[in-house]
Amino acid sequence: MSHGRVGEGGDRGGSPHAPRLVTLDEAFAGVDDDSRAKCLGLLHAFDLDVVMTSEREWACYPQVPGVAIAQLSRIDEVAAVLVTRWEWDGARRWRREDPVRSPDAATGMRAEAEERTAAGAAAGAAAEAAGAEPLWT
């Protein structure tokens, strides 16, 4: 993984606070719990920021001092995904409440979506008037 061009004196440039990101898909499938804990402990020891997906791994081991977990659940007949938030502090896992959205924030998001929809409709009408074929019917 590259952290930027190496300059004089070994300076790699960039912010020392920039994330050192590692992404893992289906992390540790087929790996026993003890080895999982050790691997996650190593990621922490190397000060890496990790985003991972797993069907069963929650990374709740004493070797991991903290983790934010988003459990995604869905039902086949429902066109939605439920996100349940959890946190691990190195000793215990607890359920976190969803972020509170103020009514003003919800109104603002709705207004922005309506503006985007109106702008998209206007652009589509202008393209149609100019004789362009629609992308979909």
Side-chain angles (χ1 to χ4, degrees):
M1 177 158 84
S2 174
H3 293 286
R5 185 173 53 91
V6 178
E8 287 185 51
D11 178 25
R12 292 190 173 271
S15 170
H17 304 290
R20 297 178 54 201
L21 188 62
V22 173
T23 59
L24 303 170
D25 185 26
E26 288 303 321
F28 308 117
V31 177
D32 66 88
D33 286 344
D34 184 56
S35 295
R36 290 171 185 243
K38 289 176 182 173
C39 288
L40 288 165
L42 281 173
L43 292 169
H44 168 68
F46 291 128
D47 193 29
L48 298 171
D49 299 300
V50 180
V51 175
M52 65 184 204
T53 66
S54 177
E55 191 171 314
R56 75 173 205 91
E57 180 61 61
W58 285 46
C60 298
Y61 302 104
Q63 295 88 335
V64 180
V67 66
I69 303 161
Q71 179 186 21
L72 308 179
S73 307
R74 63 178 294 276
I75 299 172
D76 287 338
E77 298 79 31
V78 179
V81 176
L82 171 67
V83 180
T84 309
R85 291 171 173 80
W86 299 82
E87 283 192 23
W88 168 255
D89 66 4
R92 69 183 186 94
R93 179 179 65 204
W94 72 95
R95 168 87 163 80
R96 299 298 291 188
E97 294 301 317
D98 291 336
V100 177
R101 294 191 176 118
S102 70
D104 292 339
T107 301
M109 286 188 292
R110 238 184 334 270
E112 286 176 19
E114 289 170 1
E115 286 175 16
R116 284 193 301 274
T117 301
E128 189 176 317
E133 289 193 29
L135 296 175
W136 63 89
T137 56

